[in-house]
Amino acid sequence: MGGGLLLWTGCASSYRVPELARSLVSVLKALGVDYQCLGRDEGCCGSILLRLGFKEEFSRVAEDTANKIWSTGAEGLVTHCPGCMRTFKLDYPREIKDLGLEIRHSTEVISEHAKPSSLKPLELKVVYFDPCHLGRHLNVYEPPRHLLSMVPGLKVVEPEESREESLCCGAGGGIRGYFKELAQAVARELLDYFKSLGAEAVVTACPFCYYNFKTASDDSIRVLDVLQVVRASLEGRAHGGLV
């Protein structure tokens, strides 16, 4: 391995919602984006440990992970997990050491490579939900919206509470791990709100948000990730084929 872009899958996409990992790989391949990955050797960024206050354990995990990343010789890192991205970009420099790489969200990379001419129509009305780490922490608001705006037939509804004012899905800060019922209650309330806006689906750009909404949903509104929408549009699948 050496040079180029390192794809960091993250624990949530690897183990909780592997359909997002598959969609990411599929989209990158379709768009001709070259990358390398660590595969089974990837490990964990340590985000959850840090959020829950286990700083000593976080430092051990982070040092090991940083060494793995440096061993690849990669010049940049892309991940779909805002928690991982925030940890690498903001927490590693403060807690251990700056990775010295350009760290980007998948929607930033995909936005640069996707062309409207390659995207097929998807007739669907959706709400885009800003993940906390991606939006307020990392100021990434436009790339996911840009990708959705490129899909013919897709109608995006902006809730009043969006961008900097976006609400939390209920899973952040360790809440999902310690207070699952509370996390699910928050997600259900949000899903009801999105339905009241006339949305057929909520689309997010975070495996934690996706997982919390998905497990709280009664299927009266679909739960999707922007990766799934882009993949379906690239492959020319109707919205019924979104997975």
Side-chain angles (χ1 to χ4, degrees):
M1 290 190 279
L5 188 66
L6 176 66
L7 171 62
W8 183 269
T9 307
C11 300
S13 289
S14 292
Y15 301 108
R16 293 288 191 186
V17 286
E19 61 267 31
L20 299 193
R22 290 193 293 268
S23 288
L24 177 55
V25 168
S26 178
V27 169
L28 292 178
K29 183 178 180 180
L31 297 177
V33 178
D34 292 326
Y35 64 89
Q36 58 172 307
C37 63
L38 286 162
R40 293 180 180 275
D41 295 327
E42 183 176 86
C44 177
C45 71
S47 174
I48 299 298
L49 289 171
L50 185 61
R51 309 298 159 231
L52 295 178
F54 296 100
K55 294 189 71 172
E56 185 177 329
E57 292 83 351
F58 165 77
S59 294
R60 287 201 300 268
V61 168
E63 290 280 2
D64 182 57
T65 296
N67 287 327
K68 287 181 182 179
I69 291 172
W70 288 326
S71 74
T72 68
E75 298 164 355
L77 182 149
V78 60
T79 183
H80 188 62
C81 180
C84 294
M85 182 178 172
R86 188 234 137 87
T87 304
F88 289 142
K89 198 164 187 173
L90 302 182
D91 297 316
Y92 273 38
R94 285 198 291 257
E95 302 292 337
I96 55 163
K97 188 177 181 181
D98 195 319
L99 288 173
L101 306 176
E102 183 181 23
I103 299 166
R104 308 179 75 196
H105 191 253
S106 59
T107 57
E108 295 179 286
V109 174
I110 293 168
S111 290
E112 293 179 353
H113 290 81
K115 295 182 173 63
S117 59
S118 64
L119 296 170
K120 310 298 190 299
L122 287 175
E123 301 295 332
L124 196 64
K125 186 176 182 181
V126 307
V127 162
Y128 174 68
F129 180 79
D130 288 289
C132 297
H133 281 157
L134 190 62
R136 282 189 290 271
H137 294 207
L138 295 164
N139 201 36
V140 178
Y141 294 108
E142 295 308 322
R145 287 176 168 80
H146 176 63
L147 283 173
L148 295 176
S149 73
M150 291 172 68
V151 178
L154 196 74
K155 296 181 177 64
V156 182
V157 178
E158 283 278 353
E160 185 176 343
E161 299 86 354
S162 65
R163 298 178 184 267
E164 292 86 353
E165 302 300 322
S166 181
L167 302 172
C168 177
C169 73
I175 298 299
R176 170 77 194 200
Y178 276 93
F179 305 104
K180 181 180 177 180
E181 290 183 4
L182 174 60
Q184 296 277 270
V186 171
R188 282 192 294 270
E189 186 170 331
L190 282 169
L191 290 172
D192 286 341
Y193 170 50
F194 299 149
K195 283 189 289 185
S196 76
L197 299 177
E200 298 170 85
V202 55
V203 179
T204 189
C206 168
F208 279 93
C209 295
Y210 172 82
Y211 180 67
N212 201 43
F213 283 137
K214 193 83 170 173
T215 54
S217 175
D218 62 3
D219 295 326
S220 59
I221 182 171
R222 302 191 70 177
V223 177
L224 301 168
D225 189 277
V226 64
L227 294 175
Q228 295 170 308
V229 173
V230 173
R231 180 184 182 185
S233 183
L234 283 168
E235 295 176 356
R237 288 186 277 130
H239 69 77
L242 280 162
V243 292

